[in-house]
Amino acid sequence: MAAPHSAAPVGRHTTRQEHRQEHRQEHRTGSHKGGWVVPVLFGVAYGLYAPTIVRRGGTPSWGQFWLGIISGLAVAGAVYALHRFGHVLRRELRAGAWGALAGCAIGFLYSLSGASVYASVILGLIVGAGAFAAAFYLYYTHEDAAGHSAPY
């Protein structure tokens, strides 16, 4: 005798609280869809822009090609790591990590333009401080002191 087929549930009504808990769990485990899209876009943009600065309108070279590949992978990897595993850090450290990443990335690009090391460091510090302030404000206004997402 054949086993009867069970009907697939059409839909499940979830409360707002259940939806928030599912979203938090997806965010913590990294199972949400598209978790790699933003890092890849940043990596591609950075990897295309870095050799363009060095080329200065000349013909492309293999060194510039590898500069783009390596710098793009480094930025994509760093953005992915912070996006994926940043939730384990306190908000101050997480904001500092985003600030350091932004400052280093911009400082490196500026150094490729032929600017002095001091100018590159100063610009990197300014951009890093701005990114830190913006990230800290975002985390401070959207999390409680324990690092849990705000209930809204």
Side-chain angles (χ1 to χ4, degrees):
M1 185 153 110
H5 295 294
S6 61
V10 175
R12 184 172 77 94
H13 178 67
T14 58
T15 64
R16 187 176 296 198
Q17 182 67 21
E18 289 173 336
H19 179 70
R20 270 190 243 122
Q21 288 174 347
E22 289 173 3
H23 179 71
R24 281 188 211 126
Q25 182 62 27
E26 288 175 356
H27 183 69
R28 286 189 181 110
T29 60
S31 64
H32 56 284
K33 296 175 183 137
W36 52 269
V37 173
V38 171
V40 166
L41 289 176
F42 273 110
V44 167
Y46 197 88
L48 289 173
Y49 192 62
T52 303
I53 294 171
V54 174
R55 190 173 62 199
R56 294 185 180 94
T59 58
S61 69
W62 283 106
Q64 294 163 2
F65 172 77
W66 287 111
L67 170 71
I69 295 292
I70 293 169
S71 62
L73 286 174
V75 167
V79 169
Y80 178 77
L82 276 175
H83 183 68
R84 174 72 169 86
F85 303 110
H87 68 275
V88 299
L89 299 172
R90 288 189 3 238
R91 61 181 163 210
E92 296 86 3
L93 294 175
R94 189 169 13 153
W98 282 110
L101 174 61
C104 290
I106 296 300
F108 177 69
L109 284 179
Y110 192 55
S111 73
L112 292 178
S113 70
S116 72
V117 173
Y118 296 117
S120 300
V121 168
I122 296 297
L123 181 64
L125 287 173
I126 292 169
V127 169
F132 168 77
F136 182 75
Y137 177 77
L138 178 77
Y139 298 139
Y140 188 77
T141 58
H142 288 81
E143 293 178 349
D144 63 7
H148 302 106
S149 296
Y152 52 110

